Amino acid sequence: APFRPFRVDGVTIGHVRPALAAEMSNYSEVFMESKGGLTFTEKLTGFESRSLAMTRVVADLVENGLLPPVRGELYPVATTFSDDPLFQLDRGAIAAFGIRAFGVHVNGFIRHPDGAIDMWIARRAEDRMAYPGMLDNMVAGGQPIGIGLIENIIKECAEEADIPAKLAARALPTGAISYTHEAADGLKPDIMFCYDLALPEDFVPRNTDGEVAAFYRLSIGEVAKIVESSLEFKFNCNLVIIDFLIRHGFLPPEHPDYLRLIKGLRQ
């Protein structure tokens, strides 16, 4: 209810707060009113023209202090992950326009001979623009335009945890989690592709891009307790860990929230 739809070719691809919708209406050469929401003008058709127009609008809004700084990483804007993108948009503006972002999250873990599991957990650096100092999955990142999922996994593993490409390529896809989260910067109707990466006993992750302050090797019981009893993890990383706990049998069907959690991970 607090948002107005942003449509492209008759399909809703985002939701914006009324204040941003009012600002968008000032760019009459780019946007026009449509069925209670906003859409591109009839002259703006195709990927290139829409992308250029959005780049100009975002730069203007950032300069006027109405959007956070651009991040220099472009995301595809599409109705589904497999579709050709309608346009591209800087990561810093995705939530403000309520556009679905895709990302990859990697559970890095060590399995002991007795079946017990340790998990490597990251703590985000204090200077991160989003969620500074919070706990995070060992490796996670948004899915930029023009790169495949496994390519992104290998890239993020190298940058965030100094994981060699050959080892990172062993990450196994385990499904996807979807959610809608309203945050201060807008709406996040996002999808995370989840991967499990079994690591050697002697492997120790090391951050190389300055985005991680520390790594902790914790038993799966310790990780589950943090998730259940606190808000130390970045909000969506909790979901990735809950999914891991269910898939590996550490959160059993007898748990009173078992079915509700399974349903809730795919909104």
Side-chain angles (χ1 to χ4, degrees):
F3 295 86
R4 294 186 65 190
F6 177 27
R7 301 185 180 94
V8 179
D9 297 334
V11 178
T12 300
I13 53 89
H15 289 85
V16 297
R17 289 195 170 106
L20 180 56
E23 292 294 333
M24 292 168 68
S25 296
N26 293 329
Y27 297 89
S28 58
E29 74 285 4
V30 179
F31 307 109
M32 65 181 186
E33 296 282 337
S34 173
K35 300 178 182 178
L38 291 161
T39 188
F40 287 117
T41 61
E42 294 177 355
K43 292 181 179 180
L44 281 178
T45 60
F47 177 87
E48 293 294 340
S49 62
R50 289 167 176 169
S51 298
L52 287 172
M54 289 299 291
T55 297
R56 292 194 298 268
V57 169
V58 167
D60 198 24
L61 293 174
V62 169
E63 185 177 354
N64 291 326
L66 301 173
L67 287 183
V70 295
R71 305 281 287 275
E73 185 176 17
L74 295 171
Y75 279 11
V77 178
T79 52
T80 64
F81 183 73
S82 59
D83 286 352
D84 291 334
L86 300 164
F87 60 95
Q88 62 186 10
L89 186 64
D90 188 88
R91 177 179 184 174
I94 288 287
F97 287 94
I99 288 168
R100 172 167 291 139
F102 300 90
V104 293
H105 286 245
V106 180
N107 297 293
F109 68 98
I110 299 96
R111 188 185 296 276
H112 300 282
D114 63 359
I117 282 180
D118 290 346
M119 183 175 277
W120 280 106
I121 298 298
R123 184 176 295 282
R124 298 166 67 84
E126 291 292 345
D127 61 358
R128 292 300 305 275
M129 187 179 300
Y131 309 100
M134 299 193 77
L135 297 180
D136 205 327
N137 301 125
M138 181 187 71
V139 172
Q143 182 65 28
I145 196 168
I147 183 173
L149 289 168
I150 194 62
E151 294 174 88
N152 196 25
I153 289 285
I154 292 171
K155 177 181 78 70
E156 292 290 342
C157 280
E159 293 173 353
E160 295 192 357
D162 198 20
I163 299 173
K166 189 174 181 179
L167 177 56
R170 297 178 189 170
L172 296 176
T174 61
I177 292 170
S178 56
Y179 62 87
T180 301
H181 174 64
E182 183 177 355
D185 55 346
L187 197 67
K188 302 176 187 291
D190 297 343
I191 292 178
M192 300 179 291
F193 293 101
C194 300
Y195 289 76
D196 285 355
L197 179 58
L199 296 166
E201 169 69 32
D202 60 353
F203 178 79
V204 178
R206 181 184 68 90
N207 182 245
T208 64
D209 64 3
E211 294 185 357
V212 175
F215 286 101
Y216 310 111
R217 179 171 168 171
L218 304 176
S219 71
I220 197 66
E222 292 176 292
V223 176
K225 185 175 181 180
I226 295 170
V227 169
E228 185 176 34
S229 62
S230 78
L231 295 175
E232 287 191 58
F233 274 97
K234 178 175 175 280
F235 76 94
N236 56 356
C237 299
N238 270 330
L239 308 181
V240 177
I241 291 171
I242 291 169
D243 180 65
F244 183 93
L245 294 170
I246 291 170
R247 290 186 291 100
H248 289 269
F250 293 101
L251 202 160
E254 292 77 16
H255 191 285
D257 292 325
Y258 185 80
L259 292 177
R260 189 166 65 91
L261 288 169
I262 289 175
K263 182 179 180 181
L265 292 171
R266 278 89 190 174
Q267 293 287 344

